[in-house]
Amino acid sequence: MSIRPVLEQRAATPTMEGAGVHLHRAFGFQDPEELDPFLMMDHFRNNDPAKFSAGFPWHPHRGIETITYVLSGSVEHQDSLGNTGNLGAGDVQWMTAGSGILHQEMPTPDAQGTNHGFQLWANLPRDLKMAAPRYQDVAAKEIPEIQEDDGTRVRVIVGSFWGKSGPVDGIAADPQYLDIFVPAGVKKTFPVDTYRRAFAYVFEGDGAFADASAPSGVLLEKEVAGEEVNIRDMSGDRTLVRFGTGDEVTVQAGEQGVRFLLISGAPIQEPVAWHGPIVMNTREELQQAFAELRNGTFIKPAH
């Protein structure tokens, strides 16, 4: 087994999207090869409805898939195919934009005024860019959760892990998407397919991820012994951790435990032409998509 090296740790960037939704961008609109097949991930968490209630009014997508995971509050959605729905706490939605879709997503608060969740964009390969669009909504109760004796919990959103398979399937990027909690003082190792790009996104507590450059786990041993660790070695709230190649990720939870998403997928390795909500392979395809938006032919008839 080989530990994946930590290539980079960086804080998510505050930004606004839609009609003024305040959120943090873990990555996106930078180098599309960095985390291929994933293009972008936004973390929305706010307890002031004035900063999210205007939502994401009608807008287009083409050439991508989106995976939306709600932790608190809800997200109401509606699309040009006539689909409507409401994602509640723990629910997941996968949308294949394919040849083109128009939709809106309107976040609503829970009883405490909070709305919290994530949206991940996955690229589509060239031969599926113009596939028929579709949705899949998955209720929280359908998502398997693994409970370990040491208190570790893993929700399997997409893919297979430790004998459990997530209910969301058919995503072209064939991702593994896990929501993991490791309690305080626990060191845990998670297998990751060697041939996938992988990242973690910490959103509660903090933890230290082992690095291949220190295979003896020096940093982790310091954590266990209670010795001082440079804060730069720790990944805290709203931190993206990019990994290199290898087949396992090891984390030592901090004093409050650590909760993070661990996501991996097979690289597509194709050219990317990207502007806003539309991602194609060439500039000409991108120009065509925006021309179709202007002339009303963006939405294709069902086959």
Side-chain angles (χ1 to χ4, degrees):
M1 302 293 284
S2 59
I3 298 173
R4 283 180 174 253
V6 175
L7 299 180
E8 179 187 18
Q9 297 185 88
R10 66 174 186 246
T13 305
T15 188
M16 281 199 296
E17 284 292 350
V21 177
H22 294 244
L23 50 81
H24 282 71
R25 180 151 294 150
F27 64 90
F29 294 102
Q30 293 162 325
D31 179 3
E33 294 184 8
E34 181 180 76
L35 286 167
D36 180 19
F38 306 112
L39 297 165
M40 188 180 81
M41 192 178 81
D42 284 344
H43 179 199
F44 50 94
R45 181 177 64 197
N46 207 302
N47 57 9
D48 180 359
K51 293 184 177 180
F52 62 79
S53 58
F56 305 89
W58 290 97
H59 59 278
H61 285 291
R62 176 178 285 181
I64 63 170
E65 299 186 276
T66 65
I67 302 98
T68 305
Y69 178 32
V70 177
L71 294 182
S72 62
S74 61
V75 177
E76 298 178 6
H77 67 89
Q78 186 177 0
D79 70 50
S80 53
L81 300 176
N83 296 312
T84 59
N86 189 47
L87 295 176
D91 295 348
V92 176
Q93 179 196 83
W94 153 50
M95 181 191 77
T96 301
S99 62
I101 198 166
L102 298 172
H103 76 156
Q104 68 171 358
E105 300 159 299
M106 307 303 287
T108 56
D110 61 13
Q112 287 72 46
T114 300
N115 188 270
H116 187 192
F118 308 90
Q119 185 169 94
L120 176 69
W121 289 17
N123 200 7
L124 280 169
R126 179 181 283 109
D127 60 350
L128 293 176
K129 289 284 189 191
M130 297 299 287
R134 57 177 176 154
Y135 270 99
Q136 181 178 341
D137 285 350
V138 177
K141 63 183 180 182
E142 299 176 44
I143 297 172
E145 183 170 301
I146 301 164
Q147 298 264 4
E148 294 277 278
D149 291 341
D150 60 11
T152 298
R153 299 192 305 270
V154 181
R155 295 192 85 212
V156 185
I157 310 297
V158 186
S160 297
F161 187 77
W162 285 350
K164 301 285 188 181
S165 294
V168 181
D169 58 15
I171 300 178
D174 189 28
Q176 184 182 68
Y177 188 135
L178 309 173
D179 175 354
I180 297 173
F181 171 74
V182 180
V186 173
K187 182 173 75 172
K188 203 72 177 179
T189 296
F190 303 94
V192 180
D193 188 295
T194 307
Y195 301 101
R196 293 166 175 259
R197 296 268 172 82
F199 68 91
Y201 181 76
V202 178
F203 62 97
E204 286 181 14
D206 59 19
F209 288 87
D211 197 309
S213 63
S216 61
V218 173
L219 172 60
L220 302 183
E221 289 168 4
K222 284 184 179 180
E223 281 293 293
V224 171
E227 297 179 23
E228 184 177 351
V229 176
N230 191 315
I231 192 65
R232 290 176 299 176
D233 295 325
M234 300 290 286
S235 298
D237 186 24
R238 295 190 174 118
T239 300
L240 174 74
V241 183
R242 283 200 305 124
F243 300 108
T245 57
D247 52 21
E248 64 181 28
V249 167
T250 298
V251 64
Q252 169 72 52
E255 293 181 357
Q256 304 300 317
V258 63
R259 188 175 179 187
F260 60 97
L261 304 180
L262 181 59
I263 299 175
S264 62
I268 294 174
Q269 297 179 315
E270 291 180 355
V272 172
W274 181 5
H275 185 76
I278 297 174
V279 183
M280 304 302 291
N281 292 108
T282 68
R283 184 171 179 80
E284 290 73 24
E285 291 169 338
L286 202 57
Q287 291 171 336
Q288 179 182 345
F290 281 98
E292 291 176 358
L293 269 174
R294 292 191 295 270
N295 66 27
T297 60
F298 184 77
I299 303 299
K300 304 304 179 186
H303 300 298

